[in-house]
Amino acid sequence: MTENTRIVLASRPHGAPTTGDFRFETDPVPSPAEGQVLLRIRYLSLDPYMRGRMSDAPSYAEPVPVGGTMVGATVGEVIESKAAGLDVGDHVLSYSGWQQYAVEDARGVRKLDADTPLSTALGVLGMPGFTAYAGLEKIGKPRPGETLVVAAATGPVGATVGQIAKARGARAVGIAGGPRKTAALLDEFGFDAAIDHRAPDFAEQLREACPDGIDVYFENVGGAVLRAVLPLLNEFARIPVCGLVAQYNATSAPEGPDRLPGFVNQVLVKSLTVRGFIQREFVDELYPQFLAEMRAWVRDGTVRYREHVVDGLTSAPEAFIGLLEGTNFGKLVVEVGAARS
Amino acid sequence: MTENTRIVLASRPHGAPTTGDFRFETDPVPSPAEGQVLLRIRYLSLDPYMRGRMSDAPSYAEPVPVGGTMVGATVGEVIESKAAGLDVGDHVLSYSGWQQYAVEDARGVRKLDADTPLSTALGVLGMPGFTAYAGLEKIGKPRPGETLVVAAATGPVGATVGQIAKARGARAVGIAGGPRKTAALLDEFGFDAAIDHRAPDFAEQLREACPDGIDVYFENVGGAVLRAVLPLLNEFARIPVCGLVAQYNATSAPEGPDRLPGFVNQVLVKSLTVRGFIQREFVDELYPQFLAEMRAWVRDGTVRYREHVVDGLTSAPEAFIGLLEGTNFGKLVVEVGAARS
């Protein structure tokens, strides 16, 4: 164990990232100082927001510098500890990025319980699950009998959104790409209806699946789905906006007509609420409640989750590129598989 | 007093209304039944929302039927009463529309106090003032030191929005058309900055007037102002949407590029709140509080108002067409001036 391989941003992508935008670098494994731990990274989370970090367009977070290690949430095993309360063998959630080893301050990590699989800390019990939970608790507020629509619905946010909506008594309509995914929405995640956004009559199918209109549209893709949802929204509908994966690779404003005036008009005539959010806004207020409620839901099967695990850090760039294209099926996690020396 | 002249919708306008879309009709003055009053209409309010009622596009309210009396808020004098608690000579707020006389149920009118001018019940102490108040109380929430921007700022909603924001300790930047109006924003209504939206460097002037960005954009016009505001919005900015007068006459989606994806992206990266509302949503919750606070503000000069009074019901169609073009200066009110027989 002498070398740490990490993946850095080699260049800012223009449009869709390519493997050439990433570069592998190898350094000595660092040593922890007092109050720190050395982690062997077991799992790396890959999430759509990382596309934003590769760009230097103004956003809610600093971009990754060119030459810097790609950021990301990780589950690591403590292999050396100079911090009280963290022992060798403990597993922690950290934000160590795309690499095999990392030194972290003890206060920057969260020790994980052993009662749920480690990788769930990156998915249903981590940032994606909390995004779903906070977006519904604070903005979407699905009520019994209402209809909720979510796209990318087999992804870790979308699947959780639909299942929470069901737990709150609402009807859940999921949108996904292809028959395997739509089947999983019905059979695995318990959605009331599932629609393939690739179908030529997608908008018509969505209308038929929402006979009472749409009360909550959880926006995590952008683009064509929003356009199909818009005419179906009910008065006082809520649109939490947590991501726009369909737009992340866009390089210019799409061709007209300009749909913005019509959108704002719908906001007016239907008294819509459109609210963008980043989950960290609600962490202090809601995280303990989320962990308690979601752990219970995961244990009793109210909320199910699916993971898409790829093997080895070297697989990360291609897996991430596929994530932006929707080729994964479930929460995308890299089993980092550090080479021990 | 035997005839009632009223103005009906002759045809649905395509684009901007013309005087030919209105028609005068004359009927006998109706008689009140038990529990009703006969009103002589003193003042008729003209407001942008009426353009929506002339159209049969889906909206939050039923359209005026072709041949039906144009709707609108009115101040009337009771000239015959068969209702307890309402006496001849009382003045009431009613929703009697574009006509000289009307019979109303007593429970459909609100008796006006004599301590403020009658016409204020249609403006600063009526629906426009309440729109401003409720939009800020429930959505905009200007805080001390924040910057608020409002367009159509010499209008009854905009002027009140700016002055409430000031009363709450925020900075108010007003947008209006032409030097007379921008001067009034500074001299009469106490805005901190005033910008002419007709200036060729409008967007640049707006940027300079908002050195700390924009925290609240009270949207009552749509179109170019929203586009100039968007890049200046701060994280967690709020956009109450109460009207889109610049779009009301639009007949088709404007030419591209499609600005909707960029807008939703700003909603996401800045955690914006965009919320459409019609004032009646908040009437039960806020109206008494509004009347108490706004009456005090009007009496002590914290909130000032300007009226644009046109003479005679026959002037209403042209005055309304001008309202949509921004030619009025202050709350547009028709002094109905019923011909007594």
Side-chain angles (χ1 to χ4, degrees):
Chain A
M1 187 197 80
T2 54
E3 291 196 325
N4 176 35
T5 296
R6 59 196 177 92
I7 300 179
V8 303
L9 179 63
S11 53
R12 301 207 183 281
H14 183 76
T18 66
T19 52
D21 294 321
F22 302 93
R23 188 175 68 231
F24 290 81
E25 297 211 342
T26 302
D27 312 287
V29 168
S31 291
E34 274 307 310
Q36 294 186 322
V37 288
L38 174 63
L39 303 175
R40 180 173 74 84
I41 306 303
R42 295 276 307 271
Y43 296 103
L44 163 68
S45 180
L46 294 180
D47 301 279
Y49 77 84
M50 295 166 171
R51 175 65 185 83
R53 299 292 202 287
M54 300 177 77
S55 159
D56 56 4
S59 184
Y60 51 86
E62 288 293 300
V64 174
V66 172
T69 305
M70 286 292 296
V71 295
T74 45
V75 169
E77 181 183 352
V78 176
I79 58 174
E80 186 180 347
S81 177
K82 292 188 174 172
L86 289 174
D87 298 318
V88 170
D90 284 348
H91 285 90
V92 299
L93 177 68
S94 65
Y95 202 71
S96 302
W98 298 27
Q99 56 185 337
Q100 294 173 304
Y101 296 92
V103 161
E104 299 288 350
D105 288 345
R107 65 169 181 275
V109 308
R110 183 164 64 80
K111 195 168 157 179
L112 296 174
D113 295 321
D115 65 345
T116 40
L118 289 175
S119 56
T120 59
L122 303 176
V124 67
L125 292 172
M127 187 271 286
F130 184 66
T131 298
Y133 187 88
L136 292 182
E137 285 293 292
K138 299 299 292 183
I139 306 164
K141 299 175 185 170
R143 289 184 288 255
E146 288 192 334
T147 298
L148 170 142
V149 171
V150 62
T154 59
V157 177
T160 314
V161 163
Q163 293 175 91
I164 294 173
K166 295 288 295 176
R168 301 286 190 225
R171 229 175 127 256
V173 176
I175 297 166
R180 272 179 70 218
K181 291 184 177 178
T182 54
L185 288 177
L186 300 173
D187 303 337
E188 194 174 321
F189 297 121
F191 281 67
D192 297 285
I195 301 167
D196 188 342
H197 66 76
R198 298 172 187 163
D201 61 341
F202 162 68
E204 183 54 33
Q205 286 191 35
L206 183 65
R207 182 183 307 271
E208 285 172 13
C210 302
D212 300 321
I214 298 171
D215 302 291
V216 183
Y217 171 54
F218 200 102
E219 171 65 292
N220 59 357
V221 295
V225 174
L226 176 59
R227 294 200 296 275
V229 161
L230 205 51
L232 305 178
L233 290 169
N234 291 330
E235 194 178 15
F236 301 119
R238 291 80 67 194
I239 307 182
V241 180
C242 85
L244 299 165
V245 67
Q247 296 175 197
Y248 286 167
N249 287 334
T251 52
S252 62
E255 301 256 311
D258 183 2
R259 295 183 174 89
L260 178 55
F263 178 78
V264 182
N265 186 56
Q266 288 296 297
V267 168
L268 172 63
V269 300
K270 292 178 175 172
S271 294
L272 304 180
T273 299
V274 185
R275 172 66 149 87
F277 74 104
I278 310 299
Q279 47 84 27
R280 67 171 178 215
E281 176 186 351
F282 303 114
V283 163
D284 290 348
E285 179 184 349
L286 280 185
Y287 212 85
Q289 169 189 330
F290 155 72
L291 272 185
E293 194 160 18
M294 189 63 79
R295 269 201 190 118
W297 279 338
V298 168
R299 277 194 296 250
D300 74 13
T302 299
V303 173
R304 302 173 71 174
Y305 63 94
R306 174 187 268 264
E307 291 179 342
H308 181 133
V309 181
V310 298
D311 190 36
L313 186 63
T314 51
S315 309
E318 278 193 40
F320 177 68
I321 291 165
L323 174 69
L324 297 176
E325 294 164 352
T327 59
N328 61 304
F329 187 1
K331 172 68 190 104
L332 185 57
V333 172
V334 179
E335 192 160 7
V336 173
R340 285 179 177 275
S341 64
Chain B
M1 188 198 82
T2 56
E3 290 197 327
N4 176 33
T5 296
R6 56 194 179 93
I7 300 180
V8 303
L9 179 64
S11 54
R12 300 207 183 281
H14 183 77
T18 66
T19 53
D21 294 320
F22 302 93
R23 187 175 67 232
F24 289 81
E25 298 212 341
T26 303
D27 314 287
V29 170
S31 291
E34 274 305 310
Q36 293 185 323
V37 288
L38 174 61
L39 303 175
R40 181 173 76 81
I41 305 303
R42 295 276 307 271
Y43 296 103
L44 163 67
S45 180
L46 295 180
D47 302 279
Y49 76 85
M50 294 166 171
R51 175 64 185 84
R53 299 291 202 286
M54 300 177 74
S55 160
D56 56 5
S59 184
Y60 51 86
E62 287 295 300
V64 174
V66 172
T69 304
M70 285 291 297
V71 295
T74 45
V75 169
E77 180 183 352
V78 176
I79 58 173
E80 186 181 349
S81 177
K82 295 191 173 169
L86 288 174
D87 299 321
V88 171
D90 284 348
H91 284 91
V92 299
L93 177 68
S94 64
Y95 201 73
S96 302
W98 298 28
Q99 56 185 338
Q100 294 173 303
Y101 296 92
V103 160
E104 300 287 350
D105 288 345
R107 66 168 180 276
V109 306
R110 182 163 65 79
K111 195 169 159 179
L112 296 174
D113 296 320
D115 66 345
T116 42
L118 290 174
S119 57
T120 58
L122 303 176
V124 66
L125 291 172
M127 186 272 285
F130 184 66
T131 298
Y133 188 87
L136 292 183
E137 285 293 292
K138 299 299 293 182
I139 305 164
K141 299 176 186 169
R143 289 183 287 254
E146 288 193 333
T147 297
L148 170 143
V149 170
V150 63
T154 60
V157 176
T160 314
V161 163
Q163 293 175 93
I164 295 174
K166 294 288 295 175
R168 302 285 190 226
R171 228 175 129 257
V173 176
I175 298 166
R180 272 179 70 219
K181 291 184 178 178
T182 52
L185 289 178
L186 300 173
D187 303 337
E188 194 174 321
F189 297 122
F191 280 68
D192 297 285
I195 302 168
D196 187 343
H197 66 76
R198 298 173 187 162
D201 60 342
F202 163 67
E204 182 55 31
Q205 286 191 36
L206 183 65
R207 183 184 306 272
E208 284 172 12
C210 303
D212 299 322
I214 298 171
D215 302 291
V216 183
Y217 171 55
F218 200 102
E219 171 64 292
N220 58 358
V221 295
V225 175
L226 176 60
R227 294 201 295 276
V229 161
L230 205 52
L232 305 178
L233 290 169
N234 290 330
E235 194 179 13
F236 301 119
R238 290 81 67 194
I239 307 182
V241 180
C242 84
L244 299 165
V245 67
Q247 297 174 196
Y248 287 166
N249 288 334
T251 53
S252 63
E255 301 256 312
D258 184 3
R259 295 183 173 89
L260 178 56
F263 178 78
V264 182
N265 186 57
Q266 289 296 296
V267 169
L268 172 64
V269 301
K270 292 178 175 171
S271 294
L272 303 180
T273 299
V274 184
R275 172 67 151 86
F277 75 104
I278 309 300
Q279 46 86 26
R280 66 170 179 217
E281 176 185 349
F282 303 114
V283 163
D284 290 348
E285 180 184 350
L286 280 184
Y287 212 83
Q289 169 189 331
F290 155 72
L291 271 185
E293 193 160 18
M294 190 64 79
R295 269 200 191 119
W297 278 338
V298 169
R299 279 195 294 251
D300 74 11
T302 299
V303 172
R304 302 172 71 175
Y305 63 94
R306 173 187 269 266
E307 291 180 342
H308 181 133
V309 182
V310 297
D311 190 36
L313 185 63
T314 52
S315 309
E318 278 192 40
F320 177 68
I321 290 165
L323 175 69
L324 297 176
E325 293 164 353
T327 58
N328 62 305
F329 187 1
K331 171 68 190 104
L332 185 57
V333 172
V334 179
E335 191 160 9
V336 173
R340 284 181 178 272
S341 64

Short mmCIF file of all heavy atoms in Angstrom, two decimals, chain B residues 22-52:
data_model
loop_
_atom_site.label_atom_id
_atom_site.label_comp_id
_atom_site.label_asym_id
_atom_site.label_seq_id
_atom_site.Cartn_x
_atom_site.Cartn_y
_atom_site.Cartn_z
N PHE B 22 -65.80 46.17 -28.08
CA PHE B 22 -66.75 46.56 -27.03
C PHE B 22 -68.01 47.11 -27.70
O PHE B 22 -67.97 47.64 -28.81
CB PHE B 22 -66.14 47.65 -26.13
CG PHE B 22 -64.84 47.23 -25.48
CD1 PHE B 22 -63.61 47.53 -26.08
CD2 PHE B 22 -64.84 46.55 -24.28
CE1 PHE B 22 -62.41 47.15 -25.49
CE2 PHE B 22 -63.65 46.17 -23.67
CZ PHE B 22 -62.43 46.48 -24.29
N ARG B 23 -69.13 47.01 -26.98
CA ARG B 23 -70.38 47.57 -27.51
C ARG B 23 -71.18 48.13 -26.34
O ARG B 23 -71.19 47.56 -25.25
CB ARG B 23 -71.18 46.45 -28.20
CG ARG B 23 -72.42 46.91 -28.95
CD ARG B 23 -73.10 45.78 -29.71
NE ARG B 23 -73.68 44.79 -28.79
CZ ARG B 23 -73.45 43.48 -28.86
NH1 ARG B 23 -72.64 42.98 -29.79
NH2 ARG B 23 -74.02 42.67 -28.00
N PHE B 24 -71.83 49.25 -26.57
CA PHE B 24 -72.68 49.85 -25.53
C PHE B 24 -74.09 49.29 -25.66
O PHE B 24 -74.61 49.15 -26.77
CB PHE B 24 -72.72 51.38 -25.69
CG PHE B 24 -71.43 52.04 -25.31
CD1 PHE B 24 -70.36 52.09 -26.22
CD2 PHE B 24 -71.24 52.58 -24.05
CE1 PHE B 24 -69.16 52.67 -25.87
CE2 PHE B 24 -70.04 53.18 -23.70
CZ PHE B 24 -68.99 53.22 -24.61
N GLU B 25 -74.69 48.99 -24.54
CA GLU B 25 -76.09 48.55 -24.54
C GLU B 25 -76.84 49.35 -23.48
O GLU B 25 -76.26 49.76 -22.47
CB GLU B 25 -76.20 47.05 -24.25
CG GLU B 25 -75.51 46.23 -25.33
CD GLU B 25 -76.16 44.89 -25.56
OE1 GLU B 25 -76.91 44.43 -24.68
OE2 GLU B 25 -75.90 44.31 -26.63
N THR B 26 -78.11 49.54 -23.70
CA THR B 26 -78.94 50.31 -22.75
C THR B 26 -80.16 49.50 -22.38
O THR B 26 -80.85 48.96 -23.26
CB THR B 26 -79.35 51.66 -23.37
OG1 THR B 26 -78.17 52.37 -23.73
CG2 THR B 26 -80.15 52.48 -22.37
N ASP B 27 -80.37 49.38 -21.08
CA ASP B 27 -81.51 48.63 -20.54
C ASP B 27 -82.18 49.48 -19.47
O ASP B 27 -81.58 50.45 -18.98
CB ASP B 27 -81.06 47.33 -19.86
CG ASP B 27 -80.06 46.56 -20.68
OD1 ASP B 27 -80.45 45.98 -21.68
OD2 ASP B 27 -78.86 46.58 -20.29
N PRO B 28 -83.36 49.08 -19.05
CA PRO B 28 -83.96 49.74 -17.90
C PRO B 28 -83.12 49.51 -16.65
O PRO B 28 -82.49 48.46 -16.51
CB PRO B 28 -85.33 49.06 -17.76
CG PRO B 28 -85.58 48.40 -19.06
CD PRO B 28 -84.24 48.06 -19.63
N VAL B 29 -83.11 50.47 -15.77
CA VAL B 29 -82.42 50.29 -14.49
C VAL B 29 -83.18 49.21 -13.71
O VAL B 29 -84.41 49.27 -13.60
CB VAL B 29 -82.39 51.62 -13.71
CG1 VAL B 29 -81.92 51.38 -12.27
CG2 VAL B 29 -81.48 52.62 -14.41
N PRO B 30 -82.45 48.21 -13.20
CA PRO B 30 -83.13 47.11 -12.50
C PRO B 30 -83.58 47.55 -11.10
O PRO B 30 -83.16 48.57 -10.59
CB PRO B 30 -82.06 46.04 -12.40
CG PRO B 30 -80.76 46.80 -12.43
CD PRO B 30 -81.00 48.02 -13.26
N SER B 31 -84.44 46.72 -10.49
CA SER B 31 -84.94 47.02 -9.15
C SER B 31 -84.44 45.97 -8.17
O SER B 31 -84.37 44.79 -8.50
CB SER B 31 -86.48 46.99 -9.14
OG SER B 31 -86.98 48.08 -9.87
N PRO B 32 -84.10 46.42 -6.95
CA PRO B 32 -83.60 45.47 -5.97
C PRO B 32 -84.72 44.62 -5.36
O PRO B 32 -85.83 45.13 -5.15
CB PRO B 32 -82.96 46.36 -4.91
CG PRO B 32 -83.68 47.66 -5.02
CD PRO B 32 -84.10 47.81 -6.45
N ALA B 33 -84.46 43.37 -5.10
CA ALA B 33 -85.37 42.50 -4.35
C ALA B 33 -84.97 42.54 -2.88
O ALA B 33 -84.03 43.26 -2.49
CB ALA B 33 -85.28 41.08 -4.90
N GLU B 34 -85.66 41.79 -2.07
CA GLU B 34 -85.33 41.74 -0.65
C GLU B 34 -83.88 41.29 -0.46
O GLU B 34 -83.42 40.35 -1.09
CB GLU B 34 -86.25 40.75 0.09
CG GLU B 34 -87.57 41.37 0.54
CD GLU B 34 -87.36 42.62 1.39
OE1 GLU B 34 -86.56 42.56 2.37
OE2 GLU B 34 -87.96 43.66 1.06
N GLY B 35 -83.16 42.00 0.41
CA GLY B 35 -81.76 41.66 0.68
C GLY B 35 -80.81 42.26 -0.34
O GLY B 35 -79.60 41.98 -0.30
N GLN B 36 -81.34 43.09 -1.23
CA GLN B 36 -80.49 43.67 -2.28
C GLN B 36 -80.47 45.20 -2.19
O GLN B 36 -81.31 45.81 -1.53
CB GLN B 36 -81.00 43.25 -3.67
CG GLN B 36 -80.86 41.75 -3.95
CD GLN B 36 -81.25 41.39 -5.37
OE1 GLN B 36 -82.19 41.97 -5.93
NE2 GLN B 36 -80.52 40.45 -5.96
N VAL B 37 -79.51 45.76 -2.90
CA VAL B 37 -79.44 47.22 -3.01
C VAL B 37 -79.31 47.60 -4.49
O VAL B 37 -78.76 46.83 -5.30
CB VAL B 37 -78.24 47.82 -2.23
CG1 VAL B 37 -78.48 47.74 -0.73
CG2 VAL B 37 -76.93 47.12 -2.61
N LEU B 38 -79.80 48.77 -4.82
CA LEU B 38 -79.53 49.34 -6.14
C LEU B 38 -78.39 50.35 -5.98
O LEU B 38 -78.43 51.23 -5.10
CB LEU B 38 -80.77 50.05 -6.69
CG LEU B 38 -80.57 50.83 -8.01
CD1 LEU B 38 -80.13 49.91 -9.15
CD2 LEU B 38 -81.84 51.60 -8.39
N LEU B 39 -77.38 50.20 -6.82
CA LEU B 39 -76.19 51.06 -6.75
C LEU B 39 -76.10 51.96 -7.97
O LEU B 39 -76.33 51.52 -9.10
CB LEU B 39 -74.91 50.20 -6.69
CG LEU B 39 -74.81 49.19 -5.56
CD1 LEU B 39 -73.53 48.36 -5.74
CD2 LEU B 39 -74.80 49.90 -4.21
N ARG B 40 -75.76 53.21 -7.73
CA ARG B 40 -75.29 54.05 -8.80
C ARG B 40 -73.76 53.97 -8.76
O ARG B 40 -73.14 54.26 -7.73
CB ARG B 40 -75.74 55.49 -8.60
CG ARG B 40 -75.29 56.44 -9.72
CD ARG B 40 -75.90 57.82 -9.58
NE ARG B 40 -75.27 58.61 -8.53
CZ ARG B 40 -74.12 59.29 -8.68
NH1 ARG B 40 -73.46 59.25 -9.83
NH2 ARG B 40 -73.63 59.99 -7.67
N ILE B 41 -73.18 53.53 -9.87
CA ILE B 41 -71.73 53.30 -9.86
C ILE B 41 -71.01 54.64 -9.98
O ILE B 41 -71.27 55.41 -10.91
CB ILE B 41 -71.31 52.37 -11.03
CG1 ILE B 41 -72.11 51.06 -10.98
CG2 ILE B 41 -69.80 52.13 -11.00
CD1 ILE B 41 -71.97 50.28 -9.70
N ARG B 42 -70.13 54.88 -9.02
CA ARG B 42 -69.36 56.12 -9.03
C ARG B 42 -68.01 55.93 -9.75
O ARG B 42 -67.61 56.74 -10.55
CB ARG B 42 -69.10 56.58 -7.58
CG ARG B 42 -70.36 56.97 -6.80
CD ARG B 42 -70.77 58.41 -7.08
NE ARG B 42 -69.64 59.33 -6.84
CZ ARG B 42 -69.37 59.90 -5.67
NH1 ARG B 42 -70.12 59.68 -4.61
NH2 ARG B 42 -68.33 60.72 -5.55
N TYR B 43 -67.32 54.84 -9.39
CA TYR B 43 -65.99 54.59 -9.96
C TYR B 43 -65.90 53.15 -10.45
O TYR B 43 -66.35 52.22 -9.78
CB TYR B 43 -64.90 54.80 -8.91
CG TYR B 43 -64.78 56.22 -8.41
CD1 TYR B 43 -65.30 56.56 -7.16
CD2 TYR B 43 -64.16 57.20 -9.16
CE1 TYR B 43 -65.20 57.86 -6.69
CE2 TYR B 43 -64.06 58.50 -8.70
CZ TYR B 43 -64.58 58.83 -7.47
OH TYR B 43 -64.48 60.11 -7.01
N LEU B 44 -65.30 53.00 -11.61
CA LEU B 44 -65.01 51.67 -12.17
C LEU B 44 -63.49 51.53 -12.25
O LEU B 44 -62.79 52.42 -12.77
CB LEU B 44 -65.61 51.55 -13.58
CG LEU B 44 -65.07 50.41 -14.46
CD1 LEU B 44 -65.47 49.04 -13.90
CD2 LEU B 44 -65.57 50.56 -15.90
N SER B 45 -62.99 50.42 -11.76
CA SER B 45 -61.56 50.13 -11.84
C SER B 45 -61.24 49.47 -13.17
O SER B 45 -61.96 48.57 -13.61
CB SER B 45 -61.19 49.18 -10.69
OG SER B 45 -59.82 48.88 -10.73
N LEU B 46 -60.16 49.92 -13.83
CA LEU B 46 -59.67 49.22 -15.02
C LEU B 46 -58.33 48.60 -14.67
O LEU B 46 -57.42 49.27 -14.18
CB LEU B 46 -59.53 50.19 -16.20
CG LEU B 46 -60.85 50.79 -16.72
CD1 LEU B 46 -60.58 51.74 -17.89
CD2 LEU B 46 -61.83 49.69 -17.15
N ASP B 47 -58.21 47.30 -14.94
CA ASP B 47 -57.02 46.56 -14.53
C ASP B 47 -56.58 45.61 -15.63
O ASP B 47 -57.42 45.10 -16.39
CB ASP B 47 -57.33 45.75 -13.26
CG ASP B 47 -57.80 46.62 -12.11
OD1 ASP B 47 -56.93 47.20 -11.43
OD2 ASP B 47 -59.03 46.75 -11.92
N PRO B 48 -55.28 45.31 -15.69
CA PRO B 48 -54.77 44.45 -16.77
C PRO B 48 -55.43 43.06 -16.82
O PRO B 48 -55.58 42.49 -17.89
CB PRO B 48 -53.28 44.34 -16.46
CG PRO B 48 -52.94 45.60 -15.72
CD PRO B 48 -54.18 45.89 -14.90
N TYR B 49 -55.81 42.51 -15.66
CA TYR B 49 -56.36 41.15 -15.68
C TYR B 49 -57.59 41.04 -16.57
O TYR B 49 -57.95 39.96 -17.03
CB TYR B 49 -56.72 40.69 -14.25
CG TYR B 49 -57.99 41.31 -13.70
CD1 TYR B 49 -59.23 40.74 -13.99
CD2 TYR B 49 -57.97 42.44 -12.92
CE1 TYR B 49 -60.41 41.31 -13.50
CE2 TYR B 49 -59.14 43.02 -12.43
CZ TYR B 49 -60.35 42.44 -12.72
OH TYR B 49 -61.51 42.99 -12.27
N MET B 50 -58.25 42.20 -16.84
CA MET B 50 -59.47 42.16 -17.65
C MET B 50 -59.21 41.68 -19.08
O MET B 50 -60.10 41.13 -19.73
CB MET B 50 -60.12 43.55 -17.69
CG MET B 50 -60.63 44.00 -16.32
SD MET B 50 -61.01 45.77 -16.30
CE MET B 50 -61.82 45.91 -14.69
N ARG B 51 -57.95 41.88 -19.53
CA ARG B 51 -57.61 41.35 -20.86
C ARG B 51 -57.78 39.84 -20.88
O ARG B 51 -58.24 39.27 -21.89
CB ARG B 51 -56.16 41.74 -21.22
CG ARG B 51 -55.65 41.15 -22.54
CD ARG B 51 -56.44 41.66 -23.72
NE ARG B 51 -56.05 41.03 -24.98
CZ ARG B 51 -56.52 39.87 -25.41
NH1 ARG B 51 -57.38 39.19 -24.67
NH2 ARG B 51 -56.12 39.37 -26.55
N GLY B 52 -57.40 39.19 -19.79
CA GLY B 52 -57.56 37.74 -19.71
C GLY B 52 -59.02 37.32 -19.78
O GLY B 52 -59.36 36.31 -20.41
#
